Amino acid sequence: PTNSVAAAWLLMKSANPFRQLLISFLLNAVANAIPATLFLLYVTHVLGAPEQAGPFLFLYFVCAAVAVPVWVAIAKRYGKHRTWSAAMLIACAFFLWTPFLDGTSLFWFYIIVGVTGFTTGADLALPSAINADVIEWDELESGYRRPGLFFALWGTAAKLSFGLAIGIAFPLLEFAGFSATEPNSSGSLLWLAVLYGAPCIIFKLAAIWTMRGYPITAEVHKQIRESLALRADAE
C-alpha cells in the first residue's frame, strides 16, 4: 500500500528532500535532452560537418564513462550534491560558446564535447546516488522502505525530460523558419545555434538553484544510517 499512486502524490505535494532532488534532476535532464535532440541538426547545419557526428558522439560518451569514477571520488570529499552542482556549472560555462561556433570552429567544438561529456559523468552517477540516500531518509521518516516508488517517479521524470525537450525545441525551430531539408537563412541557423546551447544553460542553472540548501549532507546521511541501524537492533 505504500507504493500506491496516492503515496506518490503525498510524497510530491509536500516539501521534502526527494521533491527537491527530483525537480532538480528533471530540470537537468531537460537541459541535457535539448542539445541531444538538436545535436545532428547543429553539427550538420551550423558546423557544416555531418561526417564528424560519429567522432563527436564517440568522444562524448568515452569522456562520460571515464569521468564517472573521477566524480565519485570528488563527491566522497566534497559531497554529492555540491559536486553535482559544480559539474553542471562547468557544463554551462562551455555550452555558453556553442552559439558562436561555425564550420571553422571544429577544434573548439571537440573541446566543448569532451568537457561536457566529462561533466555528464557526474549526471550519470551522482543524482541516482543521492536518490538512494533519500530512500533511507524516507525509511527513517515513514517507517517503510519503498525504493520501487522512488525509482518509478525517477524513471517517469527521466522519460518526461525528453518529451519536454522535443516539445520545447522543435516548435521554436519551426517558429524560426528552420528546415532540416531546405536551405536556411542566417537568422534560422543562428536560432538553431542559440537553441542548442542557451536552454541547456538556463535549465542547468535552474537545477543548481533548486539544489541550494539541500539538507542531506554526508554527515546527515551517516546519522540516518546510524538511526536505522539502532531501529533494526531494537526490533
Side-chain angles (χ1 to χ4, degrees):
T2 61
N3 288 324
S4 65
V5 174
W9 171 246
L10 185 64
L11 187 64
M12 291 304 302
K13 76 175 184 178
S14 60
N16 58 68
F18 177 70
R19 189 177 75 171
Q20 182 181 5
L21 172 64
L22 188 68
I23 292 173
S24 183
F25 170 75
L26 175 61
L27 290 169
N28 184 60
V30 173
N32 291 336
I34 290 177
T37 300
L38 298 178
F39 174 79
L40 288 177
L41 294 177
Y42 178 83
V43 172
T44 300
H45 296 277
V46 176
L47 300 183
E51 72 284 353
Q52 295 295 317
F56 282 139
L57 288 173
F58 181 78
L59 174 65
Y60 180 85
F61 288 115
V62 167
C63 289
V66 169
V68 169
V70 177
W71 290 116
V72 170
I74 296 173
K76 288 180 179 179
R77 180 164 183 173
Y78 296 104
K80 296 172 187 174
H81 73 280
R82 294 189 185 93
T83 301
W84 183 36
S85 295
M88 289 190 285
L89 193 59
I90 293 170
C92 289
F94 280 81
F95 266 108
L96 182 64
W97 301 101
T98 55
F100 306 103
L101 304 184
D102 56 26
T104 66
S105 311
L106 293 184
F107 170 79
W108 296 110
F109 191 63
Y110 268 107
I111 299 296
I112 292 171
V113 167
V115 174
T116 55
F118 196 86
T119 61
T120 298
D123 295 333
L124 293 174
L126 299 183
S128 295
I130 300 171
N131 190 25
D133 297 344
V134 177
I135 291 171
E136 292 179 319
W137 163 83
D138 178 67
E139 181 181 2
L140 184 64
E141 292 289 318
S142 68
Y144 297 101
R145 189 168 182 87
R146 42 187 185 172
L149 176 64
F150 280 71
F151 281 99
L153 291 169
W154 196 260
T156 300
K159 292 176 174 60
L160 179 61
S161 67
F162 280 95
L164 289 173
I166 293 170
I168 292 169
F170 286 161
L172 289 176
L173 276 181
E174 184 177 7
F175 175 77
F178 176 83
S179 172
T181 56
E182 302 292 333
N184 289 284
S185 66
S186 58
S188 296
L189 293 178
L190 177 60
W191 189 240
L192 169 59
V194 170
L195 276 178
Y196 182 78
C200 176
I201 296 172
I202 293 170
F203 278 101
K204 280 184 179 290
L205 290 177
I208 295 169
W209 176 258
T210 303
M211 283 300 286
R212 74 193 191 284
Y214 183 73
I216 304 180
T217 62
E219 294 76 15
V220 172
H221 182 234
K222 181 180 179 182
Q223 294 170 5
I224 291 172
R225 291 179 62 88
E226 290 173 350
S227 298
L228 288 173
L230 289 174
R231 179 188 290 177
D233 291 341
E235 293 174 353

